[in-house]
Amino acid sequence: MYVHTKLYTMTSKKFFLSFYSVITRSLFILLLLTSCVKPVPVTLIWHFGTKDNDSIRVETVKLPMSGIVTIGKDSVPSDAWALDVIPEFMTAEKGDEGWWMDGRGDYGNFTRDEGHNSWWRSHTPLFAVSKAGKTMAAHMLSYRFDYDLCVDVKAGHYSVFPRIRFDKVREFFPLYDDVRIKYFPVDGYVGLAKYYRKYQFDHGVKPIRERMKDYPALEYLSNAMVIRLQTHGAKPIPPAPTDFTPETELPIDVHLTFDDATHYIEALHEAGVQEAAFVSAGWNYRGYDGAIPEHFPVEEAFGGESRMRNMISRAKELGYMMMLHGTYTEVYSICPRFDESLICKRADGSRVVNGVYFGGTAYWSCAKKLYEDMPREMRLMKDLGVEGNHYLDVFSATYPSCCADPRHPATHEEMAEYQNRIMLEAKNVFGGACSEGG
C-alpha cells in the first residue's frame, strides 16, 4: 500500500517537487537500535497543506523489529501539518488471525475491506497489533497529547499508526520536541499491561496498597461505596455559546437541598450501609459549574453554609466520608473573580473553548495560573468540616490543557505537572485526592 515514494498532490506538482529536495536534505531520522534483527520497512507519510486540501509525500526507511524512531523537530517541514509513521509490523490483512488495540483497551479484528477511524485522545500512549500469535506494541515517548491514533483499511489492508499533529502543536508553540516512538514485542494484551505497569512504577507511581500506609483515608475509600450526590442544583445549559453577566445569568434549578441530602445519608445508614464516600456535587456558588473556578460562597439556594456544615458533620457522625466536588478545568465569564489571565490562549491570543455547560461558554483554564489560588480555596473547603479526600472533576479523565499566554506559557506536558501539583495540594490539605478514572 505504501511501498512507493511517488509524490501525491492535489495542488501544484512543481511546488512539491521543489519541497522534495528541501525535505530530502533536512530530514533527520535516527533509529536507535535495541536488537540486531533483520530490519523491516517503515513508511513515513508527510501531510502538507490542510486537512481539507491535503497533499502527501511517502518515504520508506528501515527499522529493526524493536527500536525507537526519532525524527528531529528541526527536520519537520514548516508547512507539514501531520506525519504518519507506519512500520510494516503494525499492518495486517483482512482475515489475519489477531487484533489491533488502542490506548484504552478497545480492540478490533481484521474483518473489513475498507474503513478509517481515528481517536484524537488516547487514555494511555500505547497501541498494539497482534497477528499470528505475535504482538508488537508502540509507546509514544513524545507529543503524547498531540497525535491521532488511526486505524486505516484499504482493499483489506490494515494500518495502525499515530498521526502526529504538527498543526495542533503550532497553534500554541513552535515544535518543541523530537518525534520519538518506541516499538517493541510483548506477550499479548497481558504483556503490554505488564510493560506499562512497570513503566509507571519506574517513574515513581506507587500502588494503592503502598500509599495506604501514609494516607489512611485511602484505605477507607478503597473499601467504601462511592456515592455522588448529583447534583444539589444547576442552571440550564444555554443552547448556544454565551458569556453571561449578573444581569443575564439564568436561574438555578434546585435538585437536592443539603437537608434532603442529609436525610438520604441517614436512610442509607438505617438500611445497613456501613462504609460510603459521598461526593457533594454542585454545592458551590451558583450550583454545578455555575461560576467556576470560584466555588465560594456556598450556594444559598441549597440551604447555605450552615445546612451544608450540618450535612457534612452528620455524615461523619455516621462513619461516612464526605468529599466536595471541585472543578478546575473551566473558566466562566460569570465567575466573581473572572480574569482573562485565567484562560488558556493560543499563540494568536484567542481563547481556548472547552464547551458550553451550565455556566455558559466554558473556557479552558490554565492550571499553571490557577495553581496560584489553590491553597486559599482548598483551605476554605476543609474549614467546612471536610477531611480525608478531595474530588477534582475530570482531572484524570481528560487531557491537560495548553497555554501560549506569555505571562504563563505551558505545553501539555508542563500543564500536566501543574495538575499534579494541584492534586498534591489537595492531598496535603485533605489527606487524599481523587478524580474520574483514577
Side-chain angles (χ1 to χ4, degrees):
M1 177 182 177
Y2 297 123
V3 296
H4 39 68
T5 58
K6 283 182 62 179
L7 183 65
Y8 289 86
T9 178
M10 295 169 63
T11 56
S12 169
K13 182 176 182 181
K14 180 179 178 182
F15 173 81
F16 277 96
L17 285 175
S18 65
F19 230 122
Y20 181 84
S21 61
V22 174
I23 298 170
T24 302
R25 289 194 305 269
S26 64
L27 181 62
F28 170 64
I29 302 176
L30 177 62
L31 303 181
L32 300 179
L33 310 184
T34 60
S35 66
C36 297
V37 297
K38 183 179 178 180
V40 296
V42 178
T43 301
L44 303 178
I45 304 179
W46 295 91
H47 295 261
F48 299 95
T50 65
K51 289 183 66 176
D52 297 328
N53 187 23
D54 186 26
S55 300
I56 66 172
R57 185 171 67 81
V58 182
E59 295 181 353
T60 302
V61 297
K62 297 289 187 177
L63 173 73
M65 286 295 288
S66 294
I68 297 176
V69 174
T70 300
I71 301 176
K73 65 180 185 298
D74 295 331
S75 69
V76 177
S78 60
D79 63 347
W81 68 267
L83 170 65
D84 304 340
V85 182
I86 314 174
E88 186 180 70
F89 49 71
M90 302 301 282
T91 66
E93 302 299 327
K94 178 185 176 181
D96 283 350
E97 183 179 349
W99 44 266
W100 58 263
M101 187 182 70
D102 67 11
R104 186 176 180 174
D106 297 332
Y107 73 97
N109 302 117
F110 306 119
T111 60
R112 302 294 183 92
D113 292 307
E114 302 287 336
H116 179 86
N117 203 358
S118 63
W119 300 257
W120 73 270
R121 189 168 69 185
S122 294
H123 290 72
T124 65
L126 307 171
F127 55 96
V129 169
S130 184
K131 56 184 179 180
K134 296 180 180 179
T135 305
M136 290 297 296
H139 185 174
M140 298 296 296
L141 300 179
S142 66
Y143 294 115
R144 183 258 181 274
F145 304 107
D146 293 295
Y147 75 95
D148 300 335
L149 179 60
C150 302
V151 178
D152 190 66
V153 192
K154 286 185 173 63
H157 181 80
Y158 277 75
S159 300
V160 182
F161 58 92
R163 176 166 291 164
I164 297 92
R165 294 291 301 273
F166 302 128
D167 58 339
K168 288 187 176 182
V169 179
R170 292 188 183 115
E171 285 186 21
F172 297 89
F173 304 104
L175 301 185
Y176 56 86
D177 201 352
D178 298 337
V179 174
R180 290 175 290 114
I181 310 170
K182 178 182 178 181
Y183 293 98
F184 53 99
V186 294
D187 185 13
Y189 178 94
V190 173
L192 182 56
K194 289 181 177 179
Y195 162 84
Y196 198 54
R197 185 173 188 267
K198 182 179 185 303
Y199 176 86
Q200 294 290 344
F201 289 168
D202 290 345
H203 288 76
V205 175
K206 295 181 180 180
I208 290 178
R209 67 175 177 271
E210 292 296 323
R211 286 181 278 149
M212 286 179 181
K213 298 174 183 177
D214 298 321
Y215 295 91
L218 183 56
E219 182 174 5
Y220 181 92
L221 187 62
S222 299
N223 295 318
M225 180 190 302
V226 178
I227 301 173
R228 188 174 170 107
L229 301 174
Q230 175 76 11
T231 65
H232 295 292
K235 295 173 287 186
I237 297 178
T242 307
D243 287 336
F244 285 110
T245 66
E247 293 74 29
T248 62
E249 183 182 17
L250 299 177
I252 295 175
D253 292 329
V254 178
H255 305 150
L256 184 70
T257 67
F258 299 133
D259 285 344
D260 288 341
T262 302
H263 296 324
Y264 173 74
I265 293 168
E266 290 173 336
L268 283 175
H269 187 265
E270 291 174 4
V273 176
Q274 297 182 348
E275 293 178 312
F278 295 93
V279 180
S280 177
W283 60 272
N284 47 281
Y285 179 63
R286 309 310 293 155
Y288 194 87
D289 280 357
I292 300 303
E294 182 60 60
H295 293 81
F296 285 92
V298 175
E299 178 52 48
E300 288 294 334
F302 314 138
E305 182 174 323
S306 64
R307 303 317 301 162
M308 184 178 183
R309 285 182 178 274
N310 179 71
M311 176 188 70
I312 294 170
S313 64
R314 183 60 177 145
K316 290 168 64 177
E317 288 173 6
L318 298 176
Y320 297 142
M321 178 184 291
M322 178 66 71
M323 296 177 279
L324 301 188
H325 182 287
T327 301
Y328 304 100
T329 53
E330 302 158 10
V331 178
Y332 294 97
S333 64
I334 197 65
C335 175
R337 58 184 176 93
F338 177 82
D339 190 308
E340 186 78 19
S341 68
L342 295 171
I343 299 174
C344 287
K345 313 290 195 314
R346 296 182 179 85
D348 62 7
S350 60
R351 300 175 177 180
V352 182
V353 176
N354 187 357
V356 179
Y357 305 115
F358 302 98
T361 301
Y363 299 100
W364 270 109
S365 65
C366 178
K368 185 176 181 179
K369 174 64 177 177
L370 204 61
Y371 177 70
E372 298 173 3
D373 194 56
M374 287 295 101
R376 175 192 69 87
E377 269 218 333
M378 288 185 182
R379 280 163 176 74
L380 285 174
M381 293 179 190
K382 184 178 182 181
D383 184 63
L384 292 172
V386 178
E387 58 185 356
N389 232 305
H390 184 46
Y391 185 93
L392 296 91
D393 181 61
V394 89
F395 253 30
S396 61
T398 191
Y399 273 6
S401 54
C402 193
C403 184
D405 190 316
R407 294 168 290 184
H408 40 80
T411 65
H412 289 298
E413 293 80 5
E414 291 168 335
M415 201 71 81
E417 288 299 317
Y418 276 92
Q419 286 193 193
N420 287 338
R421 292 186 188 187
I422 291 173
M423 294 283 280
L424 182 59
E425 183 68 24
K427 190 175 180 180
N428 292 335
V429 171
F430 296 94
C434 59
S435 184
E436 296 161 61

